[in-house]
Amino acid sequence: MSVQESTFHGFANPVDPTPAELRAWAYKPDSVPLASMPPDWDLLVSGDRLVLTLFELAMDPTCPARRFALHCLYIYAADGIRTNFRAHPKRRFRKLVEQAERDGDELMKVWAHNGRVLLARPDLFVYRDWCEGGLVRENRRLG
């Protein structure tokens, strides 16, 4: 049975979900609505522990919570770049960008492009775009 076919029964600890819980929720996101999650849940899950799971979900065009996962990747990128990679390893970020450029669809290629632009020009950071979903909603490339 695949994750997509299984039933999701909730998080043991929504503030610190496991990769398996996050993956199961992402394929059944209506089982636990985002509105019922802790405040700033997107910021809580956008760290190193879950970034590979979020990346996998964002790379899957069939994932119902794909846009949420992509939003979290924008947060992850901005957090790493704006802290000069004290928050997250630069090497991991670069590997994700390279994989998105190589294997991703247009949404992921835009994320990779925007990550590279912000890396080169951190002054282009706008909280609304990177942390409140603006770039996900608008799917636009930074210049």
Side-chain angles (χ1 to χ4, degrees), residues 38-108:
D40 297 324
W41 190 61
D42 53 349
L43 302 176
L44 293 172
V45 300
S46 297
D48 286 321
R49 196 166 89 70
L50 295 172
V51 72
L52 297 179
T53 303
L54 291 164
F55 185 80
E56 171 192 319
L57 297 170
M59 289 285 282
D60 181 358
T62 68
C63 178
R66 182 184 193 200
R67 288 173 56 89
F68 175 80
L70 182 60
H71 165 63
C72 291
L73 290 179
Y74 272 103
I75 292 170
Y76 181 84
D79 194 31
I81 292 166
R82 291 190 34 83
T83 64
N84 200 25
F85 294 98
R86 286 186 301 277
H88 310 297
K90 188 175 196 176
R91 184 168 185 245
R92 178 175 289 152
F93 169 70
R94 285 188 187 263
K95 283 182 144 189
L96 293 174
V97 165
E98 290 166 4
Q99 186 177 346
E101 289 170 338
R102 184 180 62 248
D103 303 326
D105 63 6
E106 185 60 19
L107 277 178
M108 293 304 293

Side-chain angles (χ1 to χ4, degrees), residues 11-18 21 41 44-45 49-50:
F11 297 99
N13 178 0
V15 173
D16 189 23
T18 67
E21 287 174 334
W41 190 61
L44 293 172
V45 300
R49 196 166 89 70
L50 295 172

